[in-house]
């Protein structure tokens, strides 16, 4: 042992440890005197793009909300805290005290406080030295028009993800995910919808009035540009105030035009007759005799019986549509091959999604001759709009085939997309499908629809000073409880096209489960007339006998002054863009100017307390 721990070995060990110690000290010394490298963190944030109508009117605007959290153990004066917060939180002091006393950990006392509430509470905390209170900022949306076009716009959740409508389907456009290279990440882009907010508002009032007068369960209304497929108005009632989305019902949130599939009834006859005429199986002057029922026996012995509302006697295909004759349509269907008929219906878009920029769209249902439920009755029944399910969007898309010379047009709710500087990155252009009908066939069907509006089942939709073509339909709805068809529940709908000689607009209305009168010609056709009147005036379509006014062409605009920004935000409405540019030079405010012309809307609204680095958005037209 003494030889192992010799003096010489001990000295060598000490020397080695000393050298190691000097090396370590030298290395650490060198590091200590080197400049510290700053590590970059991903702090870059992008504002979610706005959703506006086709004219730039804001429909969904980004803002911040705040959750007020409480640490119970850190509250030093419970009664004072509850008393001071009560008016702002709209909670009683007792309610606040009880919530804090019953909590054993950090919790949210109130969620989704807006900017005003946040500023008020922050001032209360600061001026009264309250403890145990903290704010968590979350991205949010304000929907300035509340329930306007609610199902189309959709809703954004607290996590910044869209939950419905365009907010959901265009999530990656409105708020692209940050890439690993933060600098190359793209900011959110703005979505310009195809709808006109002013027209939407007017038509929603008409739809709401119709729903109330008929005591219906729901109403759908779609207005589309007959040439390019852009949706000008999109209505689904009952609706929801998007600012109160969390407390809404399933019925209020339902996007019926896209997700609801139903049997359309007699409206569908226009597509059946178009198919028969286009195939050369029937002629425009051919006569069909209606004795009140279609009663035949198939080759395999199956009895087919379809009743008609009237005994129409000898009628042409145009008159069959005019009077909505089931018997004549069933006779026409006997002339066509079932597979050919179904193939044409699929070419029209039935049985598949339209591809519109909305989530959850239904495909509807078009049977096949190989289906288990296919029978000898199926072909004539489908020809009158039963044993087939469609969506409102499919009906509008199929109607574009008649308004575009036999060629269908794809529908769209997106007019354009712009970047954060309002430069166009996408502009909608019409997309057309393959030719389905000859142009003469489409023209003939429009003439048939016009006669239906003049003297047929849709005469209550006639306008008088502008040509309009319509087709009405009333269908029994399925009895979901007992099976078969209900004796009390009906779906009443009507499609309209105007002007007939040069179609500009397609209008489609569906009223579901009306009480009392259910016949579409009586309850839907008048609504079509009211809505068409509003649309024509709004779009400035020419009317017969319309007055004309002469104008010098000179418009005087007052010079105006820029409102002064003090403790509270002023009202900028009507201020021209040229006066707003000075706001961009202010270092204490973040001002964004959208559009050109004059200020139509602003956010935050006038009267909001001004804070340092406040974000102000001005929308011009």
């Amino acid at each position: 042992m003494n030889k192992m721990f010799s003096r010489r070995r001990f000295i060598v060990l000490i020397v080695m440890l000393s050298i190691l110690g000097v090396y370590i000290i030298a290395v650490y010394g060198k590091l200590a005197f080197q400049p510290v490298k700053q590590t970059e963190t991903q702090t870059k944030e992008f504002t979610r793009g706005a959703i506006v109508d086709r004219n730039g009117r804001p429909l969904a605007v980004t803002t911040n909300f705040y959750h007020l959290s409480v640490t119970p153990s850190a509250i030093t004066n419970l009664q004072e805290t509850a008393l001071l917060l009560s008016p702002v939180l709209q909670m009683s002091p007792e309610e606040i005290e009880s919530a804090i006393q019953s909590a054993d950990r950090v919790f949210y006392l109130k969620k989704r406080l807006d900017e005003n509430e946040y500023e008020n509470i922050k001032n209360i905390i600061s001026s009264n030295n309250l403890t145990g209170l903290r704010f968590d900022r979350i991205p949010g949306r304000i929907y300035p028009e509340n329930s306007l076009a609610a199902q189309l716009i959709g809703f954004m959740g607290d996590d910044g993800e869209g939950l419905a409508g365009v907010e959901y389907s265009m999530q990656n456009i409105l708020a692209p995910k940050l890439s690993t290279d933060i600098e190359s990440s793209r900011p959110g882009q703005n979505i310009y919808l195809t709808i006109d907010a002013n027209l939407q508002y007017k038509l929603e009032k008409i739809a709401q009035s119709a729903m109330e007068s008929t005591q219906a369960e729901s109403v759908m209304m779609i207005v589309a540009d007959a040439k390019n497929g852009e949706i000008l108005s999109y209505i689904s009632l009952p609706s929801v105030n998007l600012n109160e989305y969390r407390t809404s019902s399933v019925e209020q949130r339902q996007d019926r035009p896209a997700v609801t599939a139903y049997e359309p009834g007699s409206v569908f006859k226009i597509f059946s007759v178009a198919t028969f005429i286009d195939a050369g199986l029937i002629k425009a002057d051919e006569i069909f005799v209606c004795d009140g029922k279609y009663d035949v026996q198939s080759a395999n012995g199956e009895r087919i019986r379809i009743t008609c509302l009237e005994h129409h006697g000898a009628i042409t295909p145009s008159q069959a549509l005019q009077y909505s004759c089931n018997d004549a349509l069933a006779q026409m269907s006997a002339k066509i091959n079932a597979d050919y008929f179904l193939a044409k219906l699929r070419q029209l878009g039935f049985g598949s999604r339209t591809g519109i920029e909305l989530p959850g769209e239904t495909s509807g249902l078009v049977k096949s001759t190989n289906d288990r439920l296919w029978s000898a009755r199926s072909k004539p029944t489908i020809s009158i709009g039963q044993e087939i399910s469609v969506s409102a969007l499919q009906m509008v898309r199929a109607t574009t085939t008649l308004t575009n010379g036999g060629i269908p047009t794809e529908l769209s709710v997106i007019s354009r997309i712009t970047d954060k500087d309002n430069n166009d990155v996408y502009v909608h252009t019409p997309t057309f499908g393959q030719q389905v009908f000859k142009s003469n066939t489409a023209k003939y069907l429009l003439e048939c629809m016009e006669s239906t509006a003049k003297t047929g089942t849709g005469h209550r939709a006639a306008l008088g000073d502008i040509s309009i073509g319509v087709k009405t339909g009333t269908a029994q709805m399925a009895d979901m409880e007992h099976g078969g068809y209900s004796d009390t529940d009906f779906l009443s709908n009507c499609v309209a096209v105007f002007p007939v000689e040069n179609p500009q607009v397609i209008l489609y209305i569906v009223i579901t489960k009306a009480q009392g009168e259910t016949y579409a010609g009586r309850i839907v056709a008048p609504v079509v007339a009211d809505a068409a009147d509003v649309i024509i005036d709004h779009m400035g379509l020419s009317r017969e006998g319309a007055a004309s006014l002469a104008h010098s062409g000179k418009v005087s605009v007052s010079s105006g002054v820029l409102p002064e920004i003090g403790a509270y935000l002023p009202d900028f409405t009507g201020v021209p863009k040229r006066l707003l540019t000075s706001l961009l030079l202010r270092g204490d405010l973040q001002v964004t100017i959208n559009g050109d012309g004059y200020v139509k809307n602003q956010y935050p609204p006038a009267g909001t307390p001004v804070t340092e680095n406040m974000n102000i958005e001005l929308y011009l037209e």
Side-chain angles (χ1 to χ4, degrees), residues 280-514:
L281 299 173
I282 63 172
K283 297 179 180 179
D285 58 355
E286 191 168 346
I287 299 297
F288 298 86
V289 179
C290 167
D291 60 2
K293 65 180 182 300
Y294 178 74
D295 192 350
V296 299
Q297 189 170 357
S298 67
N300 61 4
E302 185 177 351
R303 193 79 176 186
I304 306 168
R305 178 171 294 175
I306 297 175
T307 59
C308 198
L309 293 176
E310 302 286 346
H311 290 66
H312 295 116
I315 55 176
T316 63
S318 178
Q319 291 172 323
L321 290 175
Q322 188 176 336
Y323 305 128
S324 202
C325 179
N326 290 341
D327 186 1
L329 263 290
Q331 292 179 51
M332 296 178 204
S333 71
K335 296 174 174 285
I336 198 167
N337 173 271
D339 287 318
Y340 178 85
F341 182 37
L342 297 175
K344 275 292 182 181
L345 298 184
R346 292 191 179 93
Q347 280 186 305
L348 286 166
F350 297 112
S352 60
R353 298 180 179 89
T354 67
I356 200 167
E357 307 93 341
L358 287 170
E361 189 183 3
T362 181
S363 298
L365 178 64
V366 176
K367 285 183 176 181
S368 164
T369 54
N370 296 322
D371 286 348
R372 179 176 57 86
L373 297 178
W374 182 269
S375 68
R377 179 188 173 86
S378 294
K379 186 173 60 170
T381 303
I382 290 173
S383 73
I384 62 173
Q386 296 178 353
E387 283 196 45
I388 185 172
S389 67
V390 304
S391 71
L393 288 173
Q394 287 175 337
M395 291 293 288
V396 173
R397 182 189 181 278
T399 305
T400 65
T401 309
L402 305 181
T403 60
N404 281 288
I407 302 172
T409 308
E410 302 303 329
L411 305 181
S412 177
V413 294
I414 306 299
S415 173
R416 62 190 180 109
I417 299 173
T418 66
D419 62 20
K420 64 182 182 64
D421 298 317
N422 213 35
N423 299 311
D424 288 338
V425 296
Y426 165 82
V427 177
H428 173 257
T429 54
T431 302
F432 301 101
Q434 294 182 335
Q435 187 104 24
V436 179
F437 300 131
K438 303 179 187 72
S439 60
N440 287 340
T441 300
K443 182 180 179 182
Y444 170 73
L445 262 296
L446 290 177
E447 292 170 353
C448 293
M449 292 173 67
E450 185 176 18
S451 69
T452 302
K454 287 180 177 178
T455 57
T457 58
H459 69 275
R460 289 178 175 85
L463 300 174
D465 58 355
I466 193 168
S467 61
I468 185 171
V470 303
K471 183 68 189 83
T472 62
T474 307
Q476 284 180 286
M477 299 184 68
D479 187 334
M480 305 307 294
E481 185 177 348
H482 304 100
Y485 288 98
S486 171
D487 293 327
T488 57
D489 297 337
F490 293 86
L491 183 141
S492 311
N493 61 144
C494 180
V495 64
V497 173
F498 54 92
V500 173
E501 61 276 6
N502 182 25
Q504 301 295 313
V505 179
I506 296 171
L507 169 62
Y508 182 56
I509 301 177
V510 181
I511 297 179
T512 304
K513 295 185 180 180

Side-chain angles (χ1 to χ4, degrees), residues 140-152:
R141 284 290 223 194
I142 285 182
Y143 300 93
E145 302 299 332
N146 297 317
S147 62
L148 191 82
Q151 291 87 353
L152 171 60

